[in-house]
């Protein structure tokens, strides 16, 4: 055997061309599958689209530690990052599948159906699944993608033939030679271009259908006029604001209010068709209410600070707003519900959202006299879609994951022993009162203020208990009491300030708060799981 015969045979230029074009065909087929699927989802419902369905399934199965990392790292963009990650994985899969199909046409084309199986399974597995129709977008998209890949691979140059010009005879290439014995380059380019254009058109159609699907909900929100509340919030005291630059505004604008939830697509619910069902253990008179039913009831207006359990010490996931809504305890009492301390059989209220989220709240807390409500308005306008339009629930003093169900459509009275809500199944505590916390807003970490008097200021909160004292410590010195702004209510945060005689050099500023029960904020640092973070907030600055 000659040395030439021992040399491993290298893939020919024709082989590399075929694999590259196959990968391109896979990418086009994947794009077509997604475009068709998303267009079909717009006609069925946005939550049935494969990217949203797979993303929701990923969120449900992601370990809590990873979720917290994503929230800390990406903030409000965590869902966008997840969707981009899914698209990146799909892109790599499509490229690999297309290259494989270049050698195994039928098997490779059939592999596109994996897209459909995964997407359909994820859509059907959603807690808010409406049935078999949720699987249609993924199935239709996969069928379109498989057919396109099969056609495109059929137009590739044959795998075992030499490309034109590779033979010994190098005569002038003719149009027939350019076709390469079965490969019509023009037909492939035309088919690929047509597929890309059709996919783009399907994408545009899908966006148009999605927009049309949400127009009625948008119109219904524009048509809402909130009646004057029967019980108005007291005027905010003039001295509730410390007047220091850099401190969080007393009321958080709707556009800046934190949003932490699992919804990859914000539900757009038409207020005209929205319904709320109240039923379960101890409900003597089951009720189904419309949005207009709630508007006809006496409304209350309250200033309430909300906090997410995912908020790390010093974190941003806390905000204060003026809410308007219906007393939840009054509605439950009309249905015959009694508190457990008064003999009621249910100790848990399970709120269900239109997107399948479940939130479990202690019935005792909901009905103990605090201003728990079904909120219809936020800061003087109907709820924004991001924050739960048309109706959300909130209970002062409890973290959002056990109280603040957005896009609510059902209330079931049950027991903690009988049912674990979404987050409880993922190792969070069943009951989670907000912990006493404080935060330094200014100066910012690593700031370089000038020597002299430096105003240190921030906010502190202990909803439903109220803040009694805030103290500041510089380095390892003694604790000094800060000046508290006037209290609006025990359910809102309080601003505070401290005039610090700053000296040159590096310093660590630390804050702690004491609530009205006399309990001081603990120094012990804990993570957010299972019932909220604890610890003192500190910032390091350099005085120049």
């Amino acid at each position: 055997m000659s040395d030439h015969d021992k040399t491993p045979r290298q893939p020919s230029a024709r082989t590399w061309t075929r694999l590259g074009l196959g990968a391109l065909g896979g990418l086009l087929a994947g794009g077509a599958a997604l475009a068709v699927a998303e267009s079909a989802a717009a006609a069925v419902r946005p939550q049935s689209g494969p990217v949203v369905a797979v993303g929701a399934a990923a969120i449900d199965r992601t370990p809590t530690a990873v979720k917290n990392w994503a929230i800390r790292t990406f903030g409000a963009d965590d869902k966008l990052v997840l969707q981009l990650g899914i698209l990146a994985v799909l892109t790599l899969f499509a490229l690999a599948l297309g290259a494989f199909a270049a050698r195994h046409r039928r098997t490779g084309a059939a592999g596109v159906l994996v897209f459909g199986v995964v997407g359909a399974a994820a859509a059907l597995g959603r807690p808010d699944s409406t049935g078999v129709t949720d699987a249609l977008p993924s199935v239709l998209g996969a069928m379109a993608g498989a057919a396109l890949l099969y056609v495109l691979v059929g137009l590739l140059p044959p795998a075992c033939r030499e490309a034109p010009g590779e033979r010994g005879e190098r005569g002038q290439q003719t149009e027939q030679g350019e076709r390469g014995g079965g490969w019509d380059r023009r037909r492939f380019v035309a088919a690929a271009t047509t597929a890309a254009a059709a996919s783009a058109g399907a994408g545009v159609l899908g966006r148009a259908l999605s927009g049309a699907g949400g127009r009625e909900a948008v119109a219904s929100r524009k048509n809402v006029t909130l009646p004057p509340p029967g019980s108005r919030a007291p005027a905010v005291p003039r001295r509730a604001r410390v007047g220091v630059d850099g401190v969080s505004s007393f009321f958080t604008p709707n556009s800046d209010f934190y949003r932490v939830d699992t919804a990859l697509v914000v539900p757009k619910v038409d207020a005209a068709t929205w319904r709320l069902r109240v039923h379960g253990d101890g409900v003597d008179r089951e009720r189904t209410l419309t949005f207009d039913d709630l508007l006809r009831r006496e409304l209350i207006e309250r200033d309430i600070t909300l906090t997410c359990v995912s908020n790390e010490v010093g974190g941003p996931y806390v905000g204060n707003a003026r809410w308007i809504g219906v007393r939840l305890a009054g509605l439950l009492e009309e249905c015959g519900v009694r508190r457990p301390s008064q003999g009621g059989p249910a100790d848990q209220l399970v709120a269900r959202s239109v997107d399948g989220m479940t939130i479990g709240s202690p019935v005792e807390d909901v009905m103990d006299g605090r201003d728990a409500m079904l909120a219809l308005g936020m800061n003087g306008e109907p709820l924004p879609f991001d924050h739960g339009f048309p109706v959300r629930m909130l209970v002062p003093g409890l973290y959002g994951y056990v109280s603040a169900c957005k896009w609510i459509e059902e209330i079931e009275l049950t027991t903690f022993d009988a049912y674990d809500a979404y987050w409880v199944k993922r190792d969070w505590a069943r009951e989670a009162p907000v912990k006493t916390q404080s935060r330094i807003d200014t100066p910012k970490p690593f700031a370089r203020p000038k020597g002299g008097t430096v105003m240190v200021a921030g906010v502190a909160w202990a909803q439903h208990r109220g803040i009694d004292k805030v103290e500041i410590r510089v380095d390892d010195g003694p604790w000094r009491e800060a000046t508290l702004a006037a209290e609006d209510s025990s359910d809102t945060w309080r601003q505070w300030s401290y005039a610090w005689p700053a000296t040159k050099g590096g310093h660590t500023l630390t804050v702690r708060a004491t609530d009205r029960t006399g309990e001081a904020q603990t120094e012990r640092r804990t993570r957010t799981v299972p019932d909220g973070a604890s610890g003192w907030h500190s910032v390091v600055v350099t005085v120049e």
Side-chain angles (χ1 to χ4, degrees):
M1 183 179 294
S2 66
D3 291 340
H4 176 74
D5 292 332
K6 294 179 182 178
T7 302
R9 186 175 181 181
Q10 299 296 321
S12 66
R14 169 63 60 85
T15 300
W16 285 116
T17 298
R18 183 177 176 86
L19 290 175
L21 292 175
L24 174 61
L27 186 61
L28 290 171
L34 281 179
V36 171
E38 295 303 327
S39 296
V44 176
R45 67 190 194 104
Q47 291 82 358
S48 64
V51 174
V52 173
V54 171
I59 290 174
D60 289 346
R61 290 161 178 78
T62 298
T64 299
V66 177
K67 290 180 184 178
N68 288 341
W69 173 84
I71 292 172
R72 290 195 307 271
T73 305
F74 303 112
D77 294 326
D78 59 341
K79 299 172 185 63
L80 174 61
V81 171
L82 173 61
Q83 293 183 74
L84 290 176
I86 292 172
L87 292 175
V89 170
L90 290 178
T91 297
L92 294 175
F93 183 75
L95 289 169
L97 191 61
F100 177 81
R103 289 181 175 271
H104 308 280
R105 182 183 180 190
R106 293 179 180 174
T107 305
V112 180
L113 298 177
V114 173
F115 283 99
V117 172
V118 172
L124 291 174
R126 285 178 59 92
D128 63 333
S129 174
T130 58
V132 178
T133 55
D134 278 356
L136 285 178
S138 294
V139 172
L140 293 175
M143 292 174 63
L148 177 59
L149 183 58
Y150 187 83
V151 170
L152 291 177
V153 171
L155 298 176
L156 296 181
C160 299
R161 296 188 182 183
E162 294 177 311
E166 290 182 354
R167 296 175 183 270
E169 298 180 1
R170 301 175 182 269
Q172 183 178 5
Q173 292 181 346
T174 62
E175 181 177 349
Q176 182 178 2
E178 185 176 353
R179 294 187 181 186
W183 181 43
D184 190 330
R185 183 177 301 166
R186 293 176 180 174
R187 287 182 62 198
F188 180 85
V189 171
T193 302
T194 301
S199 297
V204 171
L205 175 62
R207 285 192 293 272
L209 290 174
S210 295
R215 286 193 194 111
E216 291 183 356
V218 172
S220 73
R221 182 177 181 274
K222 288 182 179 179
N223 291 333
V224 170
T225 299
L226 296 174
S231 175
R232 290 191 176 275
V236 177
R238 287 188 304 168
R239 295 184 179 179
R241 298 170 176 85
V242 295
V244 177
D245 290 341
V247 175
S248 301
S249 61
F250 184 77
F251 285 118
T252 308
N254 291 353
S255 58
D256 296 335
F257 209 95
Y258 76 89
R259 178 195 164 203
V260 178
D261 54 52
T262 63
L264 289 176
V265 175
V266 175
K268 286 194 166 55
V269 181
D270 185 349
T273 60
W274 174 86
R275 298 291 185 272
L276 174 68
R277 181 189 177 203
V278 182
H279 67 105
D281 298 340
V283 177
D284 297 334
R285 295 172 291 279
E286 183 175 322
R287 297 193 62 180
T288 298
L289 298 106
T290 67
F291 189 74
D292 285 341
D293 288 337
L294 296 185
L295 289 179
R296 284 191 287 266
R297 298 177 67 91
E298 181 185 30
L299 302 181
I300 62 172
E301 179 184 65
R302 295 292 184 268
D303 300 338
I304 299 172
T305 297
L306 298 187
T307 311
C308 180
V309 73
S310 298
N311 197 46
E312 299 280 359
V313 172
Y317 301 124
V318 56
N320 186 51
R322 174 159 288 186
W323 308 89
I324 185 170
V326 172
R327 286 187 185 276
L328 182 53
L331 176 60
L332 294 175
E333 288 167 357
E334 291 177 12
C335 295
V337 178
R338 291 174 295 155
R339 297 160 57 180
S341 61
Q342 297 175 341
D347 61 5
Q348 180 180 204
L349 180 157
V350 175
R352 289 187 171 85
S353 167
V354 299
D355 69 342
M357 173 57 65
T358 56
I359 298 240
S361 308
V363 174
E364 193 70 38
D365 292 349
V366 171
M367 303 183 71
D368 68 357
R370 70 185 74 194
D371 290 314
M373 70 169 76
L374 295 174
L376 314 177
M378 179 180 183
N379 287 333
E381 63 178 80
L383 289 173
F385 286 107
D386 280 357
H387 296 290
F389 181 84
V391 181
R392 71 173 295 167
M393 185 176 128
L394 57 88
V395 182
L398 302 182
Y399 283 117
Y401 85 99
V402 294
S403 66
C405 183
K406 295 188 283 191
W407 314 294
I408 188 172
E409 67 172 2
E410 181 182 347
I411 291 175
E412 179 184 6
L413 279 299
T414 182
T415 65
F416 283 109
D417 290 339
Y419 184 81
D420 286 338
Y422 180 92
W423 290 111
V424 174
K425 293 176 181 177
R426 289 155 179 82
D427 300 326
W428 295 85
R430 287 179 171 179
E431 301 185 41
V434 173
K435 294 181 178 179
T436 302
Q437 285 286 315
S438 53
R439 185 181 72 197
I440 299 172
D441 287 343
T442 184
K444 298 296 184 185
F446 310 115
R448 305 182 71 89
K450 300 294 183 182
T453 301
V454 173
M455 294 305 298
V456 184
V459 289
W461 59 91
Q463 291 95 308
H464 201 57
R465 300 185 302 280
I467 293 294
D468 192 54
K469 181 170 62 176
V470 171
E471 298 168 289
I472 286 289
R473 185 176 68 185
V474 180
D475 301 323
D476 293 323
W479 288 100
R480 306 290 186 183
E481 192 164 343
T483 300
L484 279 175
E487 182 181 73
D488 180 25
S489 80
S490 62
D491 290 334
T492 61
W493 58 14
R494 290 184 78 171
Q495 295 184 356
W496 57 266
S497 64
Y498 175 73
W500 170 40
T503 58
K504 188 175 180 179
H507 299 282
T508 299
L509 306 175
T510 305
V511 63
R512 71 179 182 185
T514 301
D515 65 30
R516 191 144 299 131
T517 68
E519 182 177 347
Q521 182 179 342
T522 178
E523 179 183 11
R524 187 172 68 90
R525 278 269 181 164
T526 63
R527 303 302 298 268
T528 57
V529 180
D531 59 357
S534 68
W536 296 338
H537 184 220
S538 298
V539 298
V540 176
V541 300
T542 301
V543 179
E544 297 179 335

